[in-house]
Amino acid sequence: MTPSLSSPSPRYDARTILLHWLTAGLVAFQWLGGQLIDELPRGPLRGNMWSLHFTLGILLALLVVARLVWRVRGGRRLPPEPGLPGLAARAVHGLLYLLLLVTLGAGLFWIWVRGSNFFGLFSLPVFDPANPGLRRSVGEWHETAANLLLLLAGLHAAAALLHHYLWKDGVLRRMGWGG
């Protein structure tokens, strides 16, 4: 089925678009930061980078809650594409939200499990200091979920580009700025 080039695609509202792109940017930034932190030498810079990662993770969690609330209470919902493409799009969006929640939940639990010094201002207590296996397991869950999230987000972006450049159906413009 070749999508129509003549019919304009409806657009999401400005708040939905803003929340989408803030989430995407913060996820990418957090993933990249998570990859680089352990490459830094132990010391204040590395500790501050962990604190920044935690802070931005909490900000991302609040952003996801705002997205979910806005989606339920006021965001513009566009009709899904019919058939298998629509089902695939809904499944991918659901998995993206699920992976966001798992990544954030594991990250927040990891803060508690490992403890930390927050920008040198105060210390976060360690949940179970005698259990390094728990700390390692929670860290692995967080890392695996984050990697899967980034992979799925990359496929989501590739599909949007496919719609835009190959099918020219306006799907990408629905989440873009401007006309």
Side-chain angles (χ1 to χ4, degrees), residues 44-62:
L45 176 61
R46 185 175 179 178
N48 285 337
M49 290 304 292
W50 271 115
S51 296
L52 179 63
H53 190 73
F54 298 157
T55 302
L56 293 177
I58 291 166
L59 178 64
L60 181 57
L62 295 172

Side-chain angles (χ1 to χ4, degrees), residues 50-83:
W50 271 115
S51 296
L52 179 63
H53 190 73
F54 298 157
T55 302
L56 293 177
I58 291 166
L59 178 64
L60 181 57
L62 295 172
L63 189 58
V64 169
V65 168
R67 271 189 84 162
L68 291 170
V69 168
W70 178 245
R71 183 176 172 88
V72 169
R73 300 188 83 213
R76 181 171 188 192
R77 293 210 174 177
L78 300 180
E81 208 174 329

Side-chain angles (χ1 to χ4, degrees), residues 52-169:
L52 179 63
H53 190 73
F54 298 157
T55 302
L56 293 177
I58 291 166
L59 178 64
L60 181 57
L62 295 172
L63 189 58
V64 169
V65 168
R67 271 189 84 162
L68 291 170
V69 168
W70 178 245
R71 183 176 172 88
V72 169
R73 300 188 83 213
R76 181 171 188 192
R77 293 210 174 177
L78 300 180
E81 208 174 329
L84 192 57
L87 180 63
R90 288 189 303 277
V92 166
H93 284 108
L95 277 172
L96 283 168
Y97 276 108
L98 178 64
L99 284 170
L100 267 169
L101 294 172
V102 169
T103 302
L104 291 165
L108 292 172
F109 188 54
W110 197 22
I111 293 169
W112 189 31
V113 167
R114 67 180 292 209
S116 185
N117 185 307
F118 192 73
F119 288 114
L121 301 174
F122 59 90
S123 292
L124 301 170
V126 178
F127 170 69
D128 188 359
N131 192 348
L134 177 63
R135 180 173 50 238
R136 192 170 31 259
S137 293
V138 174
E140 288 171 1
W141 270 96
H142 178 63
E143 183 178 350
T144 299
N147 287 337
L148 289 172
L149 174 61
L150 197 74
L151 176 66
L152 190 58
L155 292 173
H156 174 66
L161 293 172
L162 183 71
H163 275 274
H164 186 73
Y165 290 109
L166 185 64
W167 295 329
K168 301 179 188 309
D169 60 4

